[in-house]
Amino acid sequence: MDAIILDPCCGGRSFWFDQADQRALFGDIRSEEHTLCDGRAFNITPDLNMDFRAMPFPNESFRLVVFDPPHLRRAGSESWLRAKYGILGDDWRDDLRRGFAECFRVLKPEGILIFKWAEVQIPVSQILALTDSKPLFGHKYGRRNGTHWIAFMREAA
């Protein structure tokens, strides 16, 4: 494996400056093509179809993991929000708890996890309670902007 960065919920790779960055492996459970209401194409084309709750990598495989899981509990079945971001199931707490655990498992010691959360339906405080790892830094409050970027570091071996 040549990639040193893992994005296990890449979606449409929207926040990447280079959506084909060779240092990264882009994964997602979905492979889909959509036409948005304004006619633009929105495609989810991961390098590898995978489930962030059970990733197919050995322990300590990546130096950096970017974890941007679905953040919606409710969205119309044909809405562009659901198409773009996906939706959490009824077991969302367990799913995200398992996702955090997997992200830390595949990180090398002292590797970095960048976590992205859009606080539109579930407060980020409820999400951070799903991992024992303590954040280093990031947005503590979403009053002006509901999107949080939070950095973690895996403990040394």
Side-chain angles (χ1 to χ4, degrees), residues 6-42:
L6 174 64
D7 183 347
C9 306
C10 70
R13 307 180 192 193
S14 301
F15 57 74
W16 284 85
F17 287 105
D18 178 357
Q19 295 181 344
D21 194 311
Q22 294 299 302
R23 296 169 293 183
L25 186 135
F26 298 96
D28 206 292
I29 202 165
R30 305 178 297 157
S31 289
E32 302 173 355
E33 295 182 0
H34 300 276
T35 302
L36 302 179
C37 58
D38 63 2
R40 286 180 297 143
F42 179 76

Side-chain angles (χ1 to χ4, degrees), residues 77-91:
S77 61
E78 299 297 318
S79 75
W80 73 268
L81 284 172
R82 181 186 286 248
K84 188 169 183 181
Y85 300 114
I87 195 158
L88 294 166
D90 291 337
D91 294 331

Side-chain angles (χ1 to χ4, degrees), residues 85-100:
Y85 300 114
I87 195 158
L88 294 166
D90 291 337
D91 294 331
W92 64 269
R93 285 180 183 86
D94 185 55
D95 291 343
L96 294 176
R97 188 177 289 112
R98 290 170 54 202
F100 271 116

Side-chain angles (χ1 to χ4, degrees), residues 65-132:
V65 174
V66 181
F67 188 36
D68 179 18
H71 58 271
L72 299 172
R73 286 283 297 125
R74 301 170 308 280
S77 61
E78 299 297 318
S79 75
W80 73 268
L81 284 172
R82 181 186 286 248
K84 188 169 183 181
Y85 300 114
I87 195 158
L88 294 166
D90 291 337
D91 294 331
W92 64 269
R93 285 180 183 86
D94 185 55
D95 291 343
L96 294 176
R97 188 177 289 112
R98 290 170 54 202
F100 271 116
E102 278 293 279
C103 287
F104 285 110
R105 181 186 67 77
V106 301
L107 267 177
K108 293 182 181 293
E110 299 181 338
I112 302 296
L113 170 66
I114 302 296
F115 176 66
K116 180 179 172 271
W117 185 257
E119 189 175 62
V120 294
Q121 295 178 0
I122 304 169
V124 72
S125 60
Q126 289 184 28
I127 304 307
L128 293 178
L130 301 175
T131 180
D132 292 332

